[in-house]
Amino acid sequence: MEHLSDQAAIPNLNANWVNAKGAWAIHIVLIVALKIFFSIIPGIKRDTSWTLTNITYMFGSYLMFHWVQGIPFEFNAGAYDNLNMWEQMDNGDQFTPTKKFLLSVPICLFLASTHYTHYDLTYFTINVLALLGVIVPKLPVSHRLRVRFLSGPPEDRYIDER
């Protein structure tokens, strides 16, 4: 309960930028830049460059929105320490315009990469696994659910509630 009052006291600068002008455009710019980067590397075919673009974007998106918890600022008394960025955005509300956009970008990138790899089964499998890895944590059923393989147990589980 204390965390909720702390969260309402000061605006969350860590997550509010996603609603600012140009925040949505950066995702498209990043995807285009990744595609150009992987296309100019000698020896990489178009199929592979689309899959690498897809995997790189999905990995970066997962890392940024779902893996890292807390905020880099020290002005909120730890109110967001146990929340990842996806849970911090829009005060945790689901299906806001920003969250719908961020949910649709990986799907559109998956569709484009699947089309340009000519529906090859190997590339399709890689791309669909990357898509599932970034879409499932965005769903409401995954809200505040932690599935971690390389980190210890969450600290808030062991707080004494007296």
Side-chain angles (χ1 to χ4, degrees):
M1 190 64 169
E2 182 178 316
H3 287 297
L4 294 176
S5 63
D6 287 344
Q7 290 172 0
I10 300 174
N12 185 358
L13 301 177
N14 186 50
N16 286 349
W17 67 269
V18 296
N19 296 317
K21 283 186 177 184
W24 292 12
I26 193 66
H27 294 274
I28 308 306
V29 169
L30 282 172
I31 290 169
V32 170
L34 285 169
K35 177 62 177 115
I36 291 170
F37 173 74
F38 288 125
S39 293
I40 63 173
I41 297 176
I44 293 184
K45 298 184 300 182
R46 185 174 75 172
D47 299 354
T48 307
S49 73
W50 272 105
T51 299
L52 286 172
T53 301
N54 188 33
I55 290 172
T56 305
Y57 177 80
M58 302 288 182
F59 177 77
S61 174
Y62 180 81
L63 186 68
M64 180 175 180
F65 291 114
H66 305 290
W67 185 263
V68 178
Q69 292 182 351
I71 64 172
F73 314 110
E74 290 295 332
F75 60 80
N76 66 353
Y80 298 99
D81 284 351
N82 293 323
L83 299 177
N84 59 36
M85 189 166 179
W86 186 261
E87 295 162 348
Q88 293 175 32
M89 288 177 5
D90 301 324
N91 296 321
D93 295 337
Q94 298 293 326
F95 303 117
T96 61
T98 301
K99 286 189 174 182
K100 286 179 185 178
F101 173 78
L102 292 173
L103 188 65
S104 67
V105 169
I107 294 170
C108 292
L109 180 58
F110 164 76
L111 293 173
S113 62
T114 302
H115 173 74
Y116 287 112
T117 56
H118 306 291
Y119 306 98
D120 180 80
L121 183 60
T122 305
Y123 288 124
F124 176 80
T125 304
I126 293 168
N127 288 325
V128 79
L129 289 174
L131 176 69
L132 289 174
V134 79
I135 291 295
V136 170
K138 288 177 172 42
L139 298 176
V141 72
S142 300
H143 188 69
R144 295 191 182 208
L145 177 67
R146 304 287 184 261
V147 179
R148 300 277 171 100
F149 300 108
L150 301 174
S151 62
E155 295 173 14
D156 63 340
R157 221 181 262 171
Y158 300 104
I159 296 175
D160 189 14
E161 301 278 338
R162 291 181 210 203

